[in-house]
PDB file of all heavy atoms in Angstrom:
ATOM      1  N   PHE T 136      -8.972  14.819  -2.429  1.00 98.00           N
ATOM      2  CA  PHE T 136      -8.873  13.687  -1.523  1.00 98.00           C
ATOM      3  C   PHE T 136      -7.789  12.743  -2.023  1.00 98.00           C
ATOM      4  O   PHE T 136      -7.569  12.609  -3.237  1.00 98.00           O
ATOM      5  CB  PHE T 136     -10.205  12.936  -1.447  1.00 98.00           C
ATOM      6  CG  PHE T 136     -11.215  13.555  -0.527  1.00 98.00           C
ATOM      7  CD1 PHE T 136     -12.321  14.227  -1.032  1.00 98.00           C
ATOM      8  CD2 PHE T 136     -11.086  13.441   0.848  1.00 98.00           C
ATOM      9  CE1 PHE T 136     -13.268  14.787  -0.184  1.00 98.00           C
ATOM     10  CE2 PHE T 136     -12.023  14.003   1.706  1.00 98.00           C
ATOM     11  CZ  PHE T 136     -13.113  14.673   1.186  1.00 98.00           C
ATOM     12  N   PRO T 145     -10.641  12.461  -5.968  1.00 98.00           N
ATOM     13  CA  PRO T 145     -11.597  13.482  -6.389  1.00 98.00           C
ATOM     14  C   PRO T 145     -11.169  14.890  -5.971  1.00 98.00           C
ATOM     15  O   PRO T 145     -10.775  15.119  -4.824  1.00 98.00           O
ATOM     16  CB  PRO T 145     -12.897  13.059  -5.706  1.00 98.00           C
ATOM     17  CG  PRO T 145     -12.504  12.129  -4.618  1.00 98.00           C
ATOM     18  CD  PRO T 145     -11.255  11.460  -5.069  1.00 98.00           C
ATOM     19  N   VAL T 146     -11.256  15.798  -6.920  1.00 98.00           N
ATOM     20  CA  VAL T 146     -10.862  17.187  -6.686  1.00 98.00           C
ATOM     21  C   VAL T 146     -11.933  17.902  -5.862  1.00 98.00           C
ATOM     22  O   VAL T 146     -13.132  17.732  -6.097  1.00 98.00           O
ATOM     23  CB  VAL T 146     -10.630  17.907  -8.028  1.00 98.00           C
ATOM     24  CG1 VAL T 146     -10.396  19.402  -7.816  1.00 98.00           C
ATOM     25  CG2 VAL T 146      -9.445  17.283  -8.764  1.00 98.00           C
ATOM     26  N   VAL T 147     -11.494  18.709  -4.926  1.00 98.00           N
ATOM     27  CA  VAL T 147     -12.404  19.463  -4.063  1.00 98.00           C
ATOM     28  C   VAL T 147     -12.462  20.938  -4.465  1.00 98.00           C
ATOM     29  O   VAL T 147     -13.538  21.521  -4.579  1.00 98.00           O
ATOM     30  CB  VAL T 147     -11.961  19.347  -2.588  1.00 98.00           C
ATOM     31  CG1 VAL T 147     -12.838  20.232  -1.695  1.00 98.00           C
ATOM     32  CG2 VAL T 147     -11.995  17.894  -2.124  1.00 98.00           C
ATOM     33  N   LEU T 148     -11.305  21.547  -4.673  1.00 98.00           N
ATOM     34  CA  LEU T 148     -11.252  22.977  -4.964  1.00 98.00           C
ATOM     35  C   LEU T 148     -10.002  23.280  -5.772  1.00 98.00           C
ATOM     36  O   LEU T 148      -8.937  22.713  -5.504  1.00 98.00           O
ATOM     37  CB  LEU T 148     -11.233  23.775  -3.644  1.00 98.00           C
ATOM     38  CG  LEU T 148     -11.359  25.293  -3.725  1.00 98.00           C
ATOM     39  CD1 LEU T 148     -12.686  25.710  -4.356  1.00 98.00           C
ATOM     40  CD2 LEU T 148     -11.218  25.920  -2.334  1.00 98.00           C
ATOM     41  N   TRP T 181     -13.726  23.169   5.679  1.00 98.00           N
ATOM     42  CA  TRP T 181     -14.887  22.383   5.243  1.00 98.00           C
ATOM     43  C   TRP T 181     -14.876  20.996   5.883  1.00 98.00           C
ATOM     44  O   TRP T 181     -15.916  20.494   6.310  1.00 98.00           O
ATOM     45  CB  TRP T 181     -14.891  22.248   3.723  1.00 98.00           C
ATOM     46  CG  TRP T 181     -15.285  23.485   2.984  1.00 98.00           C
ATOM     47  CD1 TRP T 181     -15.876  24.609   3.501  1.00 98.00           C
ATOM     48  CD2 TRP T 181     -15.135  23.724   1.581  1.00 98.00           C
ATOM     49  NE1 TRP T 181     -16.095  25.536   2.505  1.00 98.00           N
ATOM     50  CE2 TRP T 181     -15.658  25.026   1.316  1.00 98.00           C
ATOM     51  CE3 TRP T 181     -14.607  22.980   0.527  1.00 98.00           C
ATOM     52  CZ2 TRP T 181     -15.658  25.567   0.035  1.00 98.00           C
ATOM     53  CZ3 TRP T 181     -14.611  23.535  -0.745  1.00 98.00           C
ATOM     54  CH2 TRP T 181     -15.131  24.801  -0.998  1.00 98.00           C
ATOM     55  N   LEU T 187     -17.621  18.698   4.107  1.00 98.00           N
ATOM     56  CA  LEU T 187     -16.952  17.996   3.008  1.00 98.00           C
ATOM     57  C   LEU T 187     -16.763  16.526   3.361  1.00 98.00           C
ATOM     58  O   LEU T 187     -16.245  16.211   4.438  1.00 98.00           O
ATOM     59  CB  LEU T 187     -15.601  18.645   2.725  1.00 98.00           C
ATOM     60  CG  LEU T 187     -14.725  17.996   1.652  1.00 98.00           C
ATOM     61  CD1 LEU T 187     -15.376  18.101   0.279  1.00 98.00           C
ATOM     62  CD2 LEU T 187     -13.343  18.643   1.642  1.00 98.00           C
ATOM     63  N   THR T 188     -17.172  15.642   2.453  1.00 98.00           N
ATOM     64  CA  THR T 188     -17.016  14.203   2.665  1.00 98.00           C
ATOM     65  C   THR T 188     -16.640  13.542   1.341  1.00 98.00           C
ATOM     66  O   THR T 188     -16.780  14.129   0.272  1.00 98.00           O
ATOM     67  CB  THR T 188     -18.316  13.564   3.170  1.00 98.00           C
ATOM     68  OG1 THR T 188     -19.373  13.820   2.228  1.00 98.00           O
ATOM     69  CG2 THR T 188     -18.723  14.115   4.538  1.00 98.00           C
ATOM     70  N   LYS T 193     -16.074   9.773  -4.509  1.00 97.00           N
ATOM     71  CA  LYS T 193     -16.508  11.057  -5.040  1.00 97.00           C
ATOM     72  C   LYS T 193     -16.601  12.051  -3.885  1.00 97.00           C
ATOM     73  O   LYS T 193     -16.919  11.694  -2.756  1.00 97.00           O
ATOM     74  CB  LYS T 193     -17.861  10.928  -5.747  1.00 97.00           C
ATOM     75  CG  LYS T 193     -17.800  10.065  -6.997  1.00 97.00           C
ATOM     76  CD  LYS T 193     -19.150   9.988  -7.683  1.00 97.00           C
ATOM     77  CE  LYS T 193     -19.064   9.126  -8.957  1.00 97.00           C
ATOM     78  NZ  LYS T 193     -20.375   9.030  -9.647  1.00 97.00           N
ATOM     79  N   ALA T 194     -16.305  13.328  -4.212  1.00 98.00           N
ATOM     80  CA  ALA T 194     -16.327  14.375  -3.200  1.00 98.00           C
ATOM     81  C   ALA T 194     -17.702  15.024  -3.137  1.00 98.00           C
ATOM     82  O   ALA T 194     -18.333  15.281  -4.175  1.00 98.00           O
ATOM     83  CB  ALA T 194     -15.267  15.430  -3.506  1.00 98.00           C
ATOM     84  N   TYR T 195     -18.161  15.292  -1.919  1.00 98.00           N
ATOM     85  CA  TYR T 195     -19.447  15.943  -1.701  1.00 98.00           C
ATOM     86  C   TYR T 195     -19.258  17.127  -0.757  1.00 98.00           C
ATOM     87  O   TYR T 195     -18.601  17.011   0.280  1.00 98.00           O
ATOM     88  CB  TYR T 195     -20.447  14.968  -1.072  1.00 98.00           C
ATOM     89  CG  TYR T 195     -20.897  13.864  -1.994  1.00 98.00           C
ATOM     90  CD1 TYR T 195     -20.107  12.734  -2.181  1.00 98.00           C
ATOM     91  CD2 TYR T 195     -22.120  13.949  -2.672  1.00 98.00           C
ATOM     92  CE1 TYR T 195     -20.510  11.701  -3.028  1.00 98.00           C
ATOM     93  CE2 TYR T 195     -22.523  12.929  -3.519  1.00 98.00           C
ATOM     94  CZ  TYR T 195     -21.722  11.815  -3.696  1.00 98.00           C
ATOM     95  OH  TYR T 195     -22.130  10.809  -4.537  1.00 98.00           O
ATOM     96  N   LEU T 196     -19.857  18.250  -1.122  1.00 98.00           N
ATOM     97  CA  LEU T 196     -19.865  19.430  -0.271  1.00 98.00           C
ATOM     98  C   LEU T 196     -21.317  19.788   0.041  1.00 98.00           C
ATOM     99  O   LEU T 196     -22.117  19.969  -0.886  1.00 98.00           O
ATOM    100  CB  LEU T 196     -19.160  20.601  -0.960  1.00 98.00           C
ATOM    101  CG  LEU T 196     -19.079  21.882  -0.143  1.00 98.00           C
ATOM    102  CD1 LEU T 196     -18.215  21.695   1.104  1.00 98.00           C
ATOM    103  CD2 LEU T 196     -18.541  23.039  -0.988  1.00 98.00           C
ATOM    104  N   LEU T 199     -23.872  17.732  -1.812  1.00 97.00           N
ATOM    105  CA  LEU T 199     -23.939  17.781  -3.272  1.00 97.00           C
ATOM    106  C   LEU T 199     -22.627  17.284  -3.872  1.00 97.00           C
ATOM    107  O   LEU T 199     -21.543  17.711  -3.461  1.00 97.00           O
ATOM    108  CB  LEU T 199     -24.217  19.207  -3.747  1.00 97.00           C
ATOM    109  CG  LEU T 199     -25.534  19.841  -3.266  1.00 97.00           C
ATOM    110  CD1 LEU T 199     -25.621  21.283  -3.740  1.00 97.00           C
ATOM    111  CD2 LEU T 199     -26.734  19.033  -3.778  1.00 97.00           C
ATOM    112  N   GLU T 200     -22.743  16.398  -4.870  1.00 97.00           N
ATOM    113  CA  GLU T 200     -21.552  15.849  -5.507  1.00 97.00           C
ATOM    114  C   GLU T 200     -20.822  16.944  -6.283  1.00 97.00           C
ATOM    115  O   GLU T 200     -21.431  17.707  -7.034  1.00 97.00           O
ATOM    116  CB  GLU T 200     -21.926  14.709  -6.446  1.00 97.00           C
ATOM    117  CG  GLU T 200     -20.732  14.066  -7.126  1.00 97.00           C
ATOM    118  CD  GLU T 200     -21.120  12.962  -8.085  1.00 97.00           C
ATOM    119  OE1 GLU T 200     -22.217  12.381  -7.914  1.00 97.00           O
ATOM    120  OE2 GLU T 200     -20.341  12.682  -9.021  1.00 97.00           O
ATOM    121  N   LEU T 201     -19.509  17.003  -6.097  1.00 97.00           N
ATOM    122  CA  LEU T 201     -18.697  17.972  -6.813  1.00 97.00           C
ATOM    123  C   LEU T 201     -18.311  17.432  -8.182  1.00 97.00           C
ATOM    124  O   LEU T 201     -18.161  16.235  -8.373  1.00 97.00           O
ATOM    125  CB  LEU T 201     -17.439  18.310  -6.007  1.00 97.00           C
ATOM    126  CG  LEU T 201     -17.678  18.955  -4.641  1.00 97.00           C
ATOM    127  CD1 LEU T 201     -16.356  19.194  -3.921  1.00 97.00           C
ATOM    128  CD2 LEU T 201     -18.452  20.262  -4.784  1.00 97.00           C
ATOM    129  N   GLY T 202     -18.116  18.329  -9.128  1.00 95.00           N
ATOM    130  CA  GLY T 202     -17.736  17.935 -10.471  1.00 95.00           C
ATOM    131  C   GLY T 202     -16.270  17.569 -10.569  1.00 95.00           C
ATOM    132  O   GLY T 202     -15.535  17.563  -9.569  1.00 95.00           O
ATOM    133  N   ALA T 203     -15.831  17.304 -11.774  1.00 94.00           N
ATOM    134  CA  ALA T 203     -14.454  16.833 -12.006  1.00 94.00           C
ATOM    135  C   ALA T 203     -13.410  17.838 -11.537  1.00 94.00           C
ATOM    136  O   ALA T 203     -12.296  17.459 -11.168  1.00 94.00           O
ATOM    137  CB  ALA T 203     -14.265  16.534 -13.487  1.00 94.00           C
ATOM    138  N   HIS T 204     -13.765  19.121 -11.533  1.00 95.00           N
ATOM    139  CA  HIS T 204     -12.813  20.158 -11.115  1.00 95.00           C
ATOM    140  C   HIS T 204     -13.154  20.721  -9.737  1.00 95.00           C
ATOM    141  O   HIS T 204     -12.661  21.787  -9.353  1.00 95.00           O
ATOM    142  CB  HIS T 204     -12.755  21.275 -12.160  1.00 95.00           C
ATOM    143  CG  HIS T 204     -12.299  20.797 -13.501  1.00 95.00           C
ATOM    144  ND1 HIS T 204     -10.972  20.520 -13.777  1.00 95.00           N
ATOM    145  CD2 HIS T 204     -12.986  20.524 -14.631  1.00 95.00           C
ATOM    146  CE1 HIS T 204     -10.871  20.113 -15.028  1.00 95.00           C
ATOM    147  NE2 HIS T 204     -12.075  20.089 -15.575  1.00 95.00           N
ATOM    148  N   GLY T 205     -14.002  20.017  -8.995  1.00 97.00           N
ATOM    149  CA  GLY T 205     -14.324  20.422  -7.642  1.00 97.00           C
ATOM    150  C   GLY T 205     -15.352  21.526  -7.574  1.00 97.00           C
ATOM    151  O   GLY T 205     -16.117  21.764  -8.519  1.00 97.00           O
ATOM    152  N   TYR T 206     -15.357  22.234  -6.452  1.00 97.00           N
ATOM    153  CA  TYR T 206     -16.338  23.288  -6.215  1.00 97.00           C
ATOM    154  C   TYR T 206     -16.029  24.494  -7.111  1.00 97.00           C
ATOM    155  O   TYR T 206     -14.885  24.941  -7.211  1.00 97.00           O
ATOM    156  CB  TYR T 206     -16.309  23.717  -4.760  1.00 97.00           C
ATOM    157  CG  TYR T 206     -17.184  24.901  -4.440  1.00 97.00           C
ATOM    158  CD1 TYR T 206     -18.567  24.748  -4.322  1.00 97.00           C
ATOM    159  CD2 TYR T 206     -16.640  26.164  -4.272  1.00 97.00           C
ATOM    160  CE1 TYR T 206     -19.376  25.830  -4.039  1.00 97.00           C
ATOM    161  CE2 TYR T 206     -17.455  27.257  -3.975  1.00 97.00           C
ATOM    162  CZ  TYR T 206     -18.815  27.083  -3.871  1.00 97.00           C
ATOM    163  OH  TYR T 206     -19.604  28.156  -3.586  1.00 97.00           O
ATOM    164  N   ALA T 207     -17.048  25.042  -7.725  1.00 79.00           N
ATOM    165  CA  ALA T 207     -16.914  26.254  -8.517  1.00 79.00           C
ATOM    166  C   ALA T 207     -17.974  27.227  -8.085  1.00 79.00           C
ATOM    167  O   ALA T 207     -19.171  26.945  -8.180  1.00 79.00           O
ATOM    168  CB  ALA T 207     -17.062  25.941 -10.021  1.00 79.00           C
TER     169      ALA T 207
END
Side-chain angles (χ1 to χ4, degrees):
F136 279 107
V146 173
V147 175
L148 188 62
W181 286 346
L187 177 65
T188 58
K193 294 181 179 180
Y195 291 81
L196 182 65
L199 299 176
E200 181 181 337
L201 298 178
H204 299 284
Y206 174 77

